[in-house]
Amino acid sequence: MASDAPRTLTVDEKFELITANIQETIRPDIIRNVLAVRPLEIFWGTATTGRPHAAYFVPAIKIAQFLRAGCKVKVLLADLNGFLDADKAPEATLEARAHYYERTIGALLRAVGVDLDNLQFVLGSSYQLTPAFSRDLLRLSKRVSVHDAVKASSEIVKSTGDPVMADGIYPMMQLLDEEYLGVDAEFGGIDQRKTFALANDTMTKAMGFKTRAHLMNPMVPGLSGGKMSSSDPKSKVDLLDEPATIQKKIAKAFCAPGKVEGNGILAFIQHVLLPYSQLQSPDGKTTMSVVLKDQIEPTVFRSFNEISAAYEADQLTPQIAKKVVTDGLTKLTTSIRSMFEADVEWQRIAAEAYCQPAIPSKSTAKCTPQELSKEWKV
């Protein structure tokens, strides 16, 4: 009887899958050396600030690829980093937001086919408030200049004027995360490059810790053309949006005819829908069928280069591309929305975390200033 289990990948195939769609890798030799003897251990960290949105499918797909390559993956719920980042996560909401992120990201990963038994969620404050971590943070603060620390956080921490001490503490905590999570590599966006470069230059020389590899995704454009952000409703699709809302937002999205660069619609196809099709395929091959302009039968695309060429030639029009993304997003978010609507505890956590229901029509409750001022207890 034939087995449905995916075939075993070679070291080269694992490396290719791990680095697929990655914009830059620092120390790829570390990854290859580890893969030759054992599974790669890697983590992705996310500060628990605004509600996760559709751009989170990009790291979710990469996590699914890491797992397909046999990696051991940890997802760091960086609650304290969220608090340090211009108070994006008020102290009273830290615990609830961490719970919300764990449930939401767990549902998102299931939507792209990830078996949660193969990865681990870790709460940052579970070890970042220990005496050992505090001691290492002080040691590191003696070896990293204020200039280098603030520079490392310049693209990931919101600026509200003159730098504050938290702006320098934030990246130094991230440097230590690699050691305390016991990994070989860290995965993040290209906006974290300065932090990753500081880790590569500092951790072995200054602290005696091993050097890690760093993988960086490109920043995916939002619906309005810039970065997709929780703070800009026009740039994002919420993971709990109804199909009609998704269709309306995608219809209004910036999608210049014939222009591939900076196109959020095409970027979503490249970084989410195409690799998702590969992960779902029994033979591991990328395929996407689309009925192009003036055609009746679908055209099968096997790479983003083919899709780009069709878009530049106006065979794949903005309207058709938007329908592809609308259909794909609706399919991926349906299970997330269903799980949320069936989970009363998740709904309660959402209201506590964001001072309003995740589905606005369900209630008009808001947090009061007094509720926001409650102290958070560790």
Side-chain angles (χ1 to χ4, degrees), residues 151-306:
K151 178 183 176 182
S153 70
S154 61
E155 293 187 36
I156 54 178
V157 173
K158 183 178 179 180
S159 175
T160 56
D162 291 335
V164 295
M165 290 299 295
D167 297 346
I169 294 173
Y170 186 112
M172 291 197 296
M173 290 176 64
Q174 187 172 344
L175 266 57
L176 291 175
D177 289 337
E178 299 176 356
E179 178 70 19
Y180 277 76
L181 292 173
V183 296
D184 306 302
E186 181 176 359
F187 164 62
I190 194 68
D191 57 339
Q192 299 185 61
R193 192 190 189 287
K194 293 175 183 177
T195 298
F196 291 163
L198 181 62
N200 187 64
D201 294 340
T202 303
M203 298 309 287
T204 299
K205 297 176 184 176
M207 301 293 287
F209 297 150
K210 75 176 187 179
T211 301
R212 270 81 181 185
H214 296 89
L215 299 106
M216 286 158 275
N217 256 351
M219 302 309 294
V220 176
L223 301 182
S224 56
K227 176 182 175 182
M228 192 175 289
S229 169
S230 297
S231 60
D232 181 5
K234 294 182 180 179
S235 79
K236 71 179 181 93
V237 172
D238 194 279
L239 295 174
L240 300 176
D241 279 344
E242 296 284 345
T245 302
I246 293 174
Q247 192 278 330
K248 185 176 180 180
K249 288 182 175 180
I250 297 298
K252 293 181 177 179
F254 175 78
C255 189
K259 185 176 180 181
V260 175
E261 186 176 353
N263 190 318
I265 297 297
L266 292 187
F268 194 85
I269 293 174
Q270 178 184 10
H271 293 282
V272 178
L273 299 183
L274 281 177
Y276 175 71
S277 75
Q278 181 186 26
L279 289 166
Q280 297 300 303
S281 172
D283 59 7
K285 293 182 179 179
T286 300
T287 57
M288 177 176 286
S289 297
V290 182
V291 178
L292 300 178
K293 184 175 70 172
D294 299 329
Q295 300 295 316
I296 299 175
E297 297 297 323
T299 297
V300 177
F301 293 101
R302 302 191 184 280
S303 71
F304 184 68
N305 285 339
E306 293 178 2

Side-chain angles (χ1 to χ4, degrees), residues 20 62 73 83 159 166 340-341 365:
K62 282 309 308 177
V73 180
F83 173 64
S159 175
F340 179 82
E341 291 174 350

Side-chain angles (χ1 to χ4, degrees), residues 32-49:
R32 285 192 175 277
N33 291 340
V34 171
L35 290 175
V37 295
R38 62 171 173 81
L40 183 77
E41 298 187 34
I42 187 168
F43 93 92
W44 171 66
T46 179
T48 53
T49 53

